[in-house]
Structures are given as C-alpha cells and as structure tokens.
C-alpha cells in the first residue's frame, strides 16, 4: 500500500492526528458507604437464609395440610418450595428497606412453622384416639 492509496483516516493517524472524537471524561465514582454494604449484606442474608427457612416452613406446612397421599404431599410441597425460595429472594431485593426484607420472611416462616406444628399435632392426636 502506497502513501497515495491510503485512506484519509489512515493517513491522518499516521501523521499523529486521530480523526475520531475523544471519549468523554468520566467522573470517578464515589466509594460505597458501609451502610450501603450492610444493607446489601442484610438483603443477601434475607434472600439466602430466610428464604430457605421460609421455603422449609412452607414445605413442612403443605406436606401436612395437602389432601393427597403422604408421598404426593411431600413431593408437591418440595417442588413448590423452589419457586417460593426464588420469590422470597426476589422480594428481599425489591423490599423498600433491608429491615423489611428481613423481618417479613422471618415472620412468615414463623407463622408457617406454627401452622405445621398445629397440623402435625392434630394429625398425631387424631391418630392416637381409639376408633370406636
């Protein structure tokens, strides 16, 4: 390729002039605060740990409350728990505050575990009564 056959952009680049416009200068980002990092950590805790607890509590309650056979109850409740865990994880990062992201799944899990305890106790006591 001879000097005369080069395109004007290549010739200008060779001459030391870049015909492309310069990239805009970006301002440096401000460092993240510890409060923000704590909120993200609390939401991650809510998504992972409290989401798992909520899914477990729902599985326990549904496996006792569904009207199917025992095996079908456990399978249906276990399959549903994966969707519930994902939903709680999405809620944890969509909640207005990190505090709400933590206490709402914890309260729901406590209520579901209470329901499972009551259903389990009712199932135990109904089986313990002698048939007349």
């Amino acid at each position: 390729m001879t000097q005369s056959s080069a395109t004007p952009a290549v010739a200008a680049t060779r001459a030391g002039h870049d015909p492309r416009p310069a990239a805009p200068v970006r301002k440096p980002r401000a460092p993240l605060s510890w409060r923000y990092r704590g909120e993200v950590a609390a939401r991650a805790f809510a998504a992972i740990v409290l989401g798992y607890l909520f899914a477990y509590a729902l599985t326990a309650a549904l496996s006792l409350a569904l009207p199917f056979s025992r095996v079908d109850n456990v399978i249906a409740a276990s399959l549903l728990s994966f969707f519930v865990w994902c939903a709680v994880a999405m809620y944890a990062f969509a909640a207005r505050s990190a505090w709400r992201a933590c206490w709402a799944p914890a309260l729901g899990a406590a209520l579901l575990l209470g329901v499972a305890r009551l259903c389990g106790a009712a199932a135990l006591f109904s089986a313990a009564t002698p048939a007349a």
Side-chain angles (χ1 to χ4, degrees):
M1 181 190 280
T2 63
Q3 184 73 12
S4 61
S5 65
T7 61
V10 173
T13 304
R14 287 182 187 162
H17 174 65
D18 192 6
R20 293 175 292 177
V25 178
R26 294 184 183 177
K27 294 189 304 184
R29 289 187 192 175
L32 299 176
S33 68
W34 286 104
R35 180 179 177 169
Y36 175 78
R37 292 177 189 207
E39 287 181 1
V40 171
R43 290 175 189 268
F45 174 79
I48 297 167
V49 176
L50 295 177
Y52 179 80
L53 181 66
F54 189 87
Y56 168 75
L58 184 74
T59 301
L62 286 180
S63 64
L64 292 170
L66 288 175
F68 309 126
S69 67
R70 179 178 264 174
V71 172
D72 292 336
N73 284 351
V74 173
I75 290 172
S78 296
L79 289 175
L80 184 62
S81 72
F82 293 108
F83 296 110
V84 170
W85 193 1
C86 290
V88 172
M90 286 188 288
Y91 171 77
F93 286 98
R96 287 185 177 189
S97 67
W99 172 249
R100 186 177 292 182
C102 288
W103 72 260
L107 180 65
L111 290 174
L112 285 171
L113 284 174
V115 167
R117 174 81 179 200
L118 289 174
C119 288
L124 287 176
F125 289 130
S126 65
T129 57

